Each structure stands twice: as C-alpha cells, then as structure tokens.
C-alpha cells in the first residue's frame, strides 16, 4: 500500500500480470474525478500488445519502460465522443476550437492524476511520460485517433521491480501565494532552491556536464529553447490536423 508521501516513479516492472479485472476497476473508479459539465472529455487507449508498444516507443524517445511495462495507457483529450453524441441527438456541436481542447485536456489530466492515486493505493507502479506532447502526431497515427482527439498523457504501468529514491520537491512556501501572486526576488530563489541545488546527485550532474549551475542543465541540455520551439510547432500542427485549431 502506497500514498502520495511515498510515491515514486517506477520504470522497471516485475514479470507479473496486471489483470483486466484490476485495470478495469481502477479505470472505472477514476471516472469519479472532477469533469467539466459532467461530460468526461477524455478517452483512454490501453496498449498491451508488444508490437503496438514497439510502434509507440519512438514517440517517447524509445524509453525502455514503454516496451517493457505490461500496460501502456494513453489518456486523450476527447471531444469527438461528445460531438458524436450531440449529432446523434439532433444537436449541433461547436467544439472544434482551442477552448474545447483546453477543457478536454484539463479533464484528461484530472482523470490521469486520479488514476495514479488509485494505482498507488493498489501498490501498482507507474511512470508518467511527459513526452506525450512532444511528438503527438506519431501517437495519433499509431492509435488511429480521430479528429477532436489529442494524446495528453501516457502512463507505463506494472508491478514494481525497483524502489528508487524519491525525487526532491520544492518547499510549499515556494509555490503557495497568499491572496495575490508574490513575485520572486533573488533572495527568494536562493532560499527555495538551495536544498535542490545542494543535493549530491544534482551537484554531480552539474559537474559531469561541465556546467556552472543546475539551472543551466535545464536550459542548455534538457529543455532547450530550440527543442521547445520545434516541438511547439509540432504540437500546433497536430492540433490543427485534429481540428482544435483553425
């Protein structure tokens, strides 16, 4: 039994089945999460077949857990189903716009987080893949997603075969603001980031990459301006193809 205070991202999985019954129960329970207008603007594609995992892997930079996990879940923002319902009931849907994408994406992420909490309670391991929005067109093509459907989040799921250390977190004071937003002074930044920057593994990472600060690891190596701009364009193109942008 786990909870948020002991949560870890799991990238290695035991050779043990995640049963359909268990997965179906968790997917059903997660649907009690909040949703805009009670419309449940999400869909989940469950991938178990090895050949389908192989086809999805390039979209996630071939991270090993994509092909090694028993289950891969792709959670999608979905206004296609609601639009089909409207048309079948003599209503005229108007959801091919960015606001509708935003609403469906929020619904999809709320569902994803609720599902993660339920999997924690069951003792399942999972890893949230931020790469889902980096190359969405590949995922769209592999999973045959129709218009008004966009991949938002991916979870690799299985029974843990590791117990990695927990990732560090910033203190609450760094992200909670009273009444109005309080912008950050250099002194605030020093105070809030001191512990993260002084962790031995982070100091080693900076040294290994011949950088001066940990922030440079993120700006110069992990999430560069060039990569962000290129992947932003790919995301916009996918949103246009999926009919969420004109």
């Amino acid at each position: 039994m786990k909870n948020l205070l002991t949560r870890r991202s799991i990238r290695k999985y035991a050779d043990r089945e995640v049963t359909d019954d268990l997965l179906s129960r968790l997917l059903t329970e997660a649907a009690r999460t909040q949703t805009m207008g009670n419309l449940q603007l999400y869909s989940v594609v469950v991938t178990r077949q090895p050949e389908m995992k192989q086809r999805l892997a390039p979209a996630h930079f071939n991270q090993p857990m994509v092909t090694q996990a028993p289950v891969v879940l792709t959670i999608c923002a979905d206004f296609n189903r609601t639009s089909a319902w409207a048309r079948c009931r003599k209503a005229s849907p108007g959801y091919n716009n960015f606001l509708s994408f935003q609403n469906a994406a929020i619904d999809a992420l709320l569902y994803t987080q609720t599902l993660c909490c339920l999997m924690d309670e069951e003792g399942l391991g999972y890893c949230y893949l931020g790469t889902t929005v980096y190359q969405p067109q590949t995922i769209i093509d592999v999973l045959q997603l129709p218009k008004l459907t966009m991949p938002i989040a991916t979870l690799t799921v299985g029974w843990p075969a590791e117990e990695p250390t927990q990732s560090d977190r910033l203190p609450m004071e760094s992200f909670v603001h009273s009444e109005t937003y309080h912008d950050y002074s250099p002194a605030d930044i020093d105070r809030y980031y001191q512990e993260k920057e002084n962790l031995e593994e982070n100091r080693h990472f900076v040294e290994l990459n011949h950088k001066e600060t940990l922030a440079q690891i993120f700006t110069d190596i992990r999430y560069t301006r060039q990569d962000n701009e290129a992947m932003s364009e790919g995301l916009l193109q996918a949103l246009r193809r999926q009919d969420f942008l004109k």
Side-chain angles (χ1 to χ4, degrees), residues 76-145:
C76 303
D78 186 351
F79 245 118
N80 174 62
R81 183 184 63 251
T82 302
S83 297
W85 172 58
R87 289 191 296 270
C88 288
R89 297 296 181 266
K90 302 179 181 179
S92 299
Y95 307 122
N96 56 334
N97 46 66
F98 185 71
L99 178 63
S100 297
F101 166 72
Q102 182 82 344
N103 285 328
I106 292 169
D107 259 26
L109 287 174
L110 285 169
Y111 180 88
T112 301
Q113 184 57 55
T114 300
L115 180 61
C116 287
C117 291
L118 291 171
M119 291 193 296
D120 279 329
E121 292 177 357
E122 289 292 332
L124 280 167
Y126 60 86
C127 186
Y128 175 91
L129 304 185
T131 46
T132 305
V133 294
Y134 291 174
Q135 300 183 73
Q137 193 60 50
T138 300
I139 300 172
I140 291 167
D141 293 342
V142 170
L143 300 182
Q144 301 178 28
L145 302 183

Side-chain angles (χ1 to χ4, degrees), residues 149-194:
T149 311
M150 276 288 294
I152 296 297
T154 300
L155 300 172
T156 58
V157 182
W159 299 102
E162 63 172 348
E163 191 172 348
T165 57
Q166 281 189 299
S167 300
D168 62 276
R169 291 293 186 266
L170 294 173
M172 184 199 72
E173 294 79 12
S174 71
F175 56 81
V176 175
H177 303 256
S178 179
E179 306 300 340
T180 59
Y181 190 99
H182 171 75
D183 208 353
Y184 299 95
S185 68
D188 291 331
I189 295 298
D190 289 344
R191 184 167 67 256
Y192 297 146
Y193 283 85
Q194 181 179 18

